[in-house]
Amino acid sequence: MLWADRMRLETFGILLTLAHASAACEFGPLPYSVTGIVCRMTKPAALLLNEETAQVIQAAFRNAKFPNITGERSMRLLGKVAYGLTNIQVNDLSIERSEVELKENDAIHIDIKNVTAFFKGTLTYGYAGAWFLQLSHSVDFEIESSIDLQINIKLMCQKDQVAADASDCYLTFHKLTLHLQGDKEPGWLKQLFTDFISFTLKLVLKSEVCNEINFLAQVLANFVHDLAANFVQDEDIRLDISLASVPLIKANYLESHHKGLVLYENYSDIFSDSVFSPSLLTESRMLYFWLSEHILNSLASAAFLDKRLVLTIRGEKLQALFEMEDTEAQRKAVQMIFQGTSYNDSVAKVWSLAHPQISVQPEGTVVKSMVAVEVSIFPTGEEPLMVLYMEKEITVTVQAAYAEKKLILHPLDSRTEFKVFECTADPSGNDPSIRNFLQTMISVVGIPEVISRIEPALTSLMNSKGLHLFEIKNPEIITRKGYVIVQLDFSFPNHLLLDFLEKRL
């Protein structure tokens, strides 16, 4: 039986290796060239997440399907003794401590000390005596164990995403004590069965617990991937986060590189000139995200194609826009444009005429866009009338920050150039007062108004993906020529993993 168990374990290991080999990903000679997104998790973050390891280990022990254990042995005077342990399950479990170490270019080594586990079940035994006396007994048992657990988790690419292989798993037993029902059975019987089943029980526990840990590691890797994929998707616009190269394990950090191509209907996104290099990121913060300028440009193009770059302003918002200052020139311009119609009977529509162009510079993110503005009035009893139409090229530099669970966008250095200007109050376009007024209104109020609409929309979108569940500490959004770096420290929301494990089980 022990030989058969060993053969099954070896066969399982060979099949697992072959499965990973067959699912391996192929990358080009320049792996960073197609990298659009990079995630780096440093040693402090790994230590923080290791605190949640106990929950995974407890789930592995609880969820392991322990097979029945049977055996027999010939004993002098007693004859042949057969036994069976059935209904084995974990009754209680505690973990003293867990340590994690990143082994460069190898694995994540987790060393779990002093796992105290109590197993319970039913022991059935029978024997034929020398005088052909046959007896059969059944008693409840409890097994008290003290175990050290070592797991080496390798990260690899499988089906173009990060996969975790925790098959390199070892259990070291410091104690394995069998207690029969209330210790009422004779001491020799307890010692007899402890000697019989100890080695077999260790083999079964190691096999089942390690298999379950490996399975949970893969499930958790898929969970993280699905969480990330959901985070970078909004309706029909999403990002391809398949791997661009093999995940890295360094002594002080883990790092994965993703393509980050925008996927939207028939929109075609190609990227092959990434400027990423591992030297662009440091190791002083817990978590880093590196984003290529190309991603921002592609997202803006997809948003344009999806007709999202449209804004309608009316009522009090429209009034605040046109009455930014109480001057005679302002009152005159408003009167000429709206022809005495109230703001409640007027509407302004702002939309992008072409794909916005985005470039990332040290001073911030530069957005250049051709924008149209149309103002219409609805006089009582008359047909709607368009009183203003203009097309303008707007260039604005935006700095971004994240604080108090909100995205903050601060516009700097905006420039506006009129391309088309039509106004019923100035058919010839020769009255500079209206154009000057509109120029000031757009720069001082219009651009901040548009950005103030974008801030809560993006914050709400990120929170709908669960970002607000994390305690993000001192986040920094750093722009450099061609890329953005987001770096932060965080606290892990305990219930997130608990909820997931409960659903998994």
Side-chain angles (χ1 to χ4, degrees):
M1 182 193 69
L2 296 180
W3 179 83
D5 285 336
R6 287 196 187 96
M7 287 297 296
R8 281 194 291 269
L9 286 173
E10 291 172 1
T11 302
F12 175 80
I14 293 171
L15 290 175
L16 187 65
T17 302
L18 290 175
H20 284 151
S22 64
C25 308
E26 295 184 2
F27 303 107
L30 301 173
Y32 296 142
S33 64
V34 295
T35 296
I37 302 174
V38 176
C39 176
R40 173 178 289 188
M41 178 183 293
T42 61
K43 184 70 175 288
L47 292 174
L48 176 65
L49 293 177
N50 184 56
E51 296 176 5
E52 310 303 318
T53 302
Q55 298 177 27
V56 178
I57 299 304
Q58 288 170 349
F61 272 84
R62 287 196 310 269
N63 204 48
K65 305 300 181 185
F66 299 106
N68 296 335
I69 299 174
T70 59
E72 62 179 25
R73 187 172 180 180
S74 297
M75 297 293 294
R76 187 177 301 174
L77 300 178
L78 292 176
K80 184 177 291 186
V81 178
Y83 63 88
L85 275 70
T86 59
N87 303 321
I88 303 174
Q89 54 188 293
V90 177
N91 192 31
D92 193 14
L93 184 140
S94 64
I95 297 175
E96 183 177 288
R97 72 179 187 275
S98 177
E99 300 172 353
V100 64
E101 178 185 359
L102 304 181
K103 294 185 174 181
E104 187 154 346
N105 299 323
D106 185 15
I108 306 167
H109 178 73
I110 300 176
D111 193 2
I112 301 169
K113 298 290 188 181
N114 230 358
V115 180
T116 302
F118 290 85
F119 301 87
K120 65 178 181 179
T122 302
L123 169 64
T124 302
Y125 64 94
Y127 50 90
W131 299 277
F132 304 100
L133 176 64
Q134 296 184 355
L135 298 175
S136 180
H137 299 275
S138 180
V139 296
D140 291 335
F141 71 85
E142 182 179 69
I143 300 169
E144 180 182 359
S145 67
S146 178
I147 307 168
D148 285 348
L149 181 61
Q150 295 86 37
I151 310 167
N152 291 305
I153 303 176
K154 295 183 181 294
L155 299 182
M156 60 190 66
C157 178
Q158 187 175 358
K159 297 181 180 178
D160 290 328
Q161 70 182 59
V162 176
D165 176 11
S167 57
D168 190 1
C169 169
Y170 301 92
L171 270 65
T172 303
F173 290 84
H174 299 298
K175 177 197 289 187
L176 189 68
T177 305
L178 174 69
H179 298 284
L180 300 180
Q181 186 178 26
D183 277 340
K184 294 178 182 179
E185 297 296 328
W188 64 268
L189 182 61
K190 182 170 135 181
Q191 183 61 45
L192 171 68
F193 284 111
T194 298
D195 291 342
F196 273 11
I197 69 175
S198 178
F199 181 77
T200 305
L201 183 59
K202 289 178 181 179
L203 187 64
V204 168
L205 292 180
K206 176 189 182 302
S207 171
E208 299 306 320
V209 171
C210 286
N211 287 348
E212 185 64 23
I213 288 174
N214 189 33
F215 177 70
L216 276 179
Q218 296 176 40
V219 170
L220 283 170
N222 291 334
F223 168 67
V224 172
H225 177 273
D226 293 344
L227 198 67
N230 177 62
F231 190 84
V232 294
Q233 176 176 358
D234 181 44
E235 297 180 0
D236 293 334
I237 301 175
R238 57 194 179 94
L239 290 180
D240 174 9
I241 60 170
S242 58
L243 286 176
S245 61
V246 177
L248 295 180
I249 299 179
K250 296 295 185 180
N252 294 319
Y253 64 84
L254 311 171
E255 189 170 277
S256 59
H257 315 101
H258 307 264
K259 295 177 182 176
L261 299 177
V262 171
L263 305 175
Y264 173 75
E265 294 185 352
N266 296 325
Y267 175 76
S268 179
D269 194 11
I270 301 174
F271 183 50
S272 60
D273 57 352
S274 175
V275 298
F276 175 74
S277 167
S279 62
L280 297 177
L281 301 179
T282 65
E283 302 170 17
S284 60
R285 307 298 298 275
M286 294 173 67
L287 193 60
Y288 294 82
F289 294 101
W290 183 94
L291 305 173
S292 168
E293 171 186 281
H294 176 84
I295 289 179
L296 302 180
N297 253 318
S298 298
L299 285 173
S301 296
F304 170 78
L305 294 173
D306 203 42
K307 297 180 172 57
R308 298 191 186 194
L309 305 183
V310 179
L311 177 63
T312 301
I313 307 173
R314 51 168 53 91
E316 292 182 358
K317 288 287 186 181
L318 189 60
Q319 181 178 2
L321 192 63
F322 277 88
E323 296 185 359
M324 58 180 179
E325 56 183 16
D326 188 13
T327 65
E328 182 63 30
Q330 173 260 313
R331 287 192 294 271
K332 180 182 177 182
V334 169
Q335 180 64 31
M336 292 175 66
I337 294 171
F338 288 91
Q339 303 177 18
T341 304
S342 72
Y343 292 108
N344 290 329
D345 295 323
S346 308
V347 62
K349 181 182 176 183
V350 183
W351 70 98
S352 183
L353 290 167
H355 300 185
Q357 299 299 312
I358 297 178
S359 63
V360 181
Q361 304 295 333
E363 57 270 21
T365 302
V366 182
V367 182
K368 185 177 181 179
S369 181
M370 278 293 294
V371 176
V373 178
E374 180 182 281
V375 177
S376 300
I377 61 174
F378 302 85
T380 304
E382 300 181 24
E383 291 294 319
L385 176 64
M386 185 180 71
V387 295
L388 176 66
Y389 177 82
M390 52 186 172
E391 296 177 3
K392 53 194 183 299
E393 185 179 82
I394 295 178
T395 303
V396 58
T397 302
V398 181
Q399 290 182 342
Y402 187 83
E404 298 180 355
K405 300 185 184 296
K406 294 180 181 178
L407 179 67
I408 301 168
L409 302 175
H410 183 57
L412 301 171
D413 186 30
S414 62
R415 299 183 300 276
T416 303
E417 180 181 351
F418 285 96
K419 300 296 184 180
V420 175
F421 182 84
E422 299 174 3
C423 181
T424 56
D426 181 21
S428 65
N430 295 324
D431 188 344
S433 63
I434 293 179
R435 188 173 295 205
N436 291 340
F437 164 71
L438 292 172
Q439 181 85 12
T440 304
M441 181 201 73
I442 292 168
S443 300
V444 177
V445 182
I447 293 174
E449 170 65 19
V450 171
I451 289 180
S452 70
R453 299 288 189 95
I454 296 175
E455 281 179 343
L458 291 178
T459 298
S460 177
L461 176 61
M462 291 188 295
N463 287 343
S464 71
K465 307 297 184 180
L467 184 64
H468 64 293
L469 299 175
F470 292 80
E471 289 300 324
I472 297 177
K473 304 173 184 178
N474 304 318
E476 295 180 85
I477 301 176
I478 302 169
T479 56
R480 295 289 183 263
K481 185 173 178 58
Y483 61 89
V484 178
I485 296 174
V486 180
Q487 55 188 39
L488 54 93
D489 299 320
F490 69 96
S491 295
F492 190 78
N494 295 337
H495 60 86
L496 186 65
L497 185 56
L498 283 172
D499 291 347
F500 165 72
L501 289 175
E502 287 176 1
K503 291 176 182 177
R504 157 68 179 81
L505 299 176

